[in-house]
Amino acid sequence: MFLTNSEEKALAGEKGESLEIAYRVLIAIGKISNAKRLIPIKWAHVSGVSYLTIGDYGMDFLKKISSGKGTKFKVFTTVNPCGMDIENWDSLNVPVDYAEKQLKIISCYEKLGIANSFTCVPFQSFKVPRKGTSVAWAESSAAIYANSILGLKTNRESAVSALASALTGKTVYSDLHIPENRKPMKNIRIDMEGKRLFRKSGLSGSVDFGILGYFAGKHISGVIGFQRINQELEIAEAKALCAAIVTTGSSGMFVLNSKERIETIDFTEKEYEDTFSDLSQSGEGEAIVFGCPQMTIEELYELSRSLNGKHLRKRCFVFCSSKIYEIARSRGYSAVIEAAGGTFVRDACADFTPLISTLNVDSVETDSCKGAHYMRKVHGVKIALKDTTRIIEENSK
Ligand code: F3S
């Protein structure tokens, strides 16, 4: 792998231990992926923020990286949601020792120079670079969104590789950074005739597109081609499709309206129903969770419209970033949602947080297929998977 003089020096430890570790990580990945060189990036998005996912080992590693004298991120860097609401963790029953460790992790990232983010939908809060720009995003649901919807180029980075990219401002020139690798390997042909026909695909809403993504991710590991879906996706649908694909597989990109003549897998009503049954084990849940991935301002607007003048009969948690919450507050959406009984959980991940476990519930209602998968796995709860509108209709007066 070709390295510049400056990269060689950093690798040799001449620019401090943190950079040496970062270059070692990138070069190890470069070797595995047969990359010839590193390339500059404009934006790193780092995961590995929740204490529930990285634990003491991850926390100690971050302490070490951030303790290097003058060690700072080289490029604009955002971070994933953490494992609790940073402002209101005590009122949401987060144990003190957990909160202390979570705050320590956050302080390491702050020391390194993150943008105020704590979001898995970073494209909502910050200006997106022009199409074709290389970035290094670790949150898999955001990475696939970047490649497929925003036209950026990123591999599905791990927490460690994205951290290395943030420190060096570089990534490995491999896989989805290379134009020839961005073509579909297999197509999914959607054939939902007779079910819902108001769109060509027959699909509508986050649950439908989440189910499609959950199926597609399981069956195709490379770039996915979707037939019969044009650029008609709402932001919530695209977000649900992306999040579900990466839940079940390793794909990092899809192409809409694929015209490639390649192997094609059918997605019919049978595959839809089988996938739905896999994800939804209960008719109803004892609590409601919205926001995996975290809610966008458009979704909060829709939620506030649906809840206007109503009152929820169950505890309902709404996950979004502080930045989006502030916009929702200034526009009056959050006041409507809170008046209806909704509780905002800011800057946190909906699944990797102790919140669900401390609720002592056996079942949860959600509109998210990724959330359904992980809440069941991590917290052992049954899931009732339903559209937002239906959840509100059935649970409010
Ligand atoms: Fe975001 Fe956590 Fe879901 S990072 S995509 S809310 S699992």
Side-chain angles (χ1 to χ4, degrees):
M1 191 170 170
F2 170 78
L3 294 181
T4 63
N5 279 345
S6 162
E7 288 164 352
E8 291 278 13
K9 281 182 183 167
L11 183 65
E14 289 180 29
K15 298 181 182 180
E17 195 185 0
S18 301
L19 265 188
E20 181 190 337
I21 294 170
Y23 273 103
R24 272 201 211 158
V25 168
L26 293 180
I27 284 153
I29 297 166
K31 279 190 179 151
I32 295 167
S33 52
N34 281 327
K36 302 263 184 294
R37 61 191 166 100
L38 300 173
I39 52 167
I41 53 157
K42 282 264 185 295
W43 185 343
H45 181 78
V46 176
S47 64
V49 188
S50 170
Y51 176 69
L52 205 63
T53 52
I54 69 169
D56 288 332
Y57 181 80
M59 183 179 68
D60 291 341
F61 179 68
L62 282 171
K63 276 191 208 166
K64 181 176 172 172
I65 291 289
S66 61
S67 66
K69 196 166 164 244
T71 306
K72 292 276 177 204
F73 288 146
K74 286 262 185 330
V75 285
F76 177 66
T77 301
T78 47
V79 288
N80 240 16
C82 68
M84 64 183 193
D85 185 316
I86 301 167
E87 295 292 323
N88 297 321
W89 58 268
D90 47 350
S91 64
L92 290 164
N93 296 328
V94 174
V96 175
D97 58 335
Y98 176 96
E100 281 171 358
K101 288 177 173 174
Q102 183 62 78
L103 291 171
K104 183 71 222 167
I105 291 167
I106 291 167
S107 77
C108 293
Y109 280 120
E110 284 173 343
K111 207 168 160 198
L112 290 164
I114 48 164
N116 175 18
S117 39
F118 301 107
T119 181
C120 47
V121 283
F123 45 86
Q124 260 266 305
S125 305
F126 302 95
K127 190 168 180 292
V128 174
R130 64 185 153 86
K131 287 188 179 184
T133 303
S134 281
V135 299
W137 284 12
E139 166 54 39
S140 52
S141 62
I144 191 169
Y145 194 100
N147 282 317
S148 318
I149 305 291
L150 305 175
L152 302 176
K153 289 183 191 158
T154 180
N155 287 325
R156 265 178 72 169
E157 302 293 347
S158 68
V160 174
S161 67
L163 183 66
S165 288
L167 288 163
T168 57
K170 291 173 186 175
T171 192
V172 173
Y173 185 60
S174 66
D175 304 305
L176 292 171
H177 290 283
I178 301 172
E180 304 86 89
N181 295 338
R182 295 171 68 87
K183 289 189 185 139
M185 289 178 70
K186 288 183 191 174
N187 287 332
I188 299 270
R189 195 176 74 95
I190 299 143
D191 183 4
M192 301 288 285
E193 301 289 348
K195 194 168 163 54
R196 283 150 289 184
L197 288 174
F198 85 95
R199 275 178 174 178
K200 204 173 174 190
S201 67
L203 301 172
S204 168
S206 305
V207 171
D208 277 5
F209 281 97
I211 287 173
L212 173 65
Y214 202 82
F215 172 84
K218 237 183 214 174
H219 290 85
I220 303 177
S221 55
V223 178
I224 300 167
F226 285 114
Q227 295 182 328
R228 307 184 80 183
I229 307 180
N230 296 317
Q231 306 295 336
E232 61 187 10
L233 293 179
E234 304 271 340
I235 185 169
E237 294 171 335
K239 197 164 73 87
L241 178 64
C242 289
I245 290 172
V246 297
T247 302
T248 46
S250 58
S251 175
M253 182 174 169
F254 59 80
V255 174
L256 296 176
N257 206 17
S258 169
K259 303 277 189 238
E260 296 287 324
R261 290 172 178 265
I262 43 180
E263 187 187 338
T264 296
I265 299 167
D266 281 337
F267 179 80
T268 68
E269 287 174 46
K270 181 182 180 313
E271 284 74 31
Y272 182 99
E273 295 303 337
D274 289 350
T275 309
F276 178 81
S277 312
D278 201 12
L279 283 162
S280 188
Q281 309 81 37
S282 180
E284 59 180 76
E286 293 169 63
I288 301 163
V289 172
F290 290 128
C292 172
Q294 287 175 324
M295 293 193 92
T296 60
I297 194 65
E298 293 84 359
E299 288 174 293
L300 289 176
Y301 167 66
E302 290 299 334
L303 188 62
S304 71
R305 268 172 37 119
S306 316
L307 283 171
N308 197 5
K310 296 189 176 147
H311 197 269
L312 288 157
R313 285 190 288 263
K314 286 174 189 166
R315 281 169 296 178
C316 171
F317 297 94
V318 180
F319 287 77
C320 68
S321 69
S322 286
K323 261 182 175 282
I324 295 299
Y325 177 82
E326 280 311 315
I327 300 171
R329 196 176 59 78
S330 68
R331 296 184 187 174
Y333 310 158
S334 60
V336 174
I337 295 166
E338 284 165 334
T343 302
F344 277 90
V345 189
R346 287 171 286 169
D347 297 330
C349 167
D351 307 340
F352 295 96
T353 163
L355 176 75
I356 309 299
S357 297
T358 57
L359 288 176
N360 279 328
V361 293
D362 292 326
S363 53
V364 166
E365 295 197 19
T366 186
D367 61 345
S368 164
C369 292
K370 183 173 182 183
H373 178 96
Y374 283 112
M375 279 189 270
R376 185 177 175 208
K377 218 170 155 177
V378 177
H379 304 290
V381 289
K382 286 191 181 141
I383 301 295
L385 181 66
K386 297 173 188 175
D387 266 325
T388 313
T389 319
R390 196 172 145 208
I391 292 177
I392 291 167
E393 269 171 21
E394 290 178 0
N395 293 295
S396 63
K397 56 185 175 190

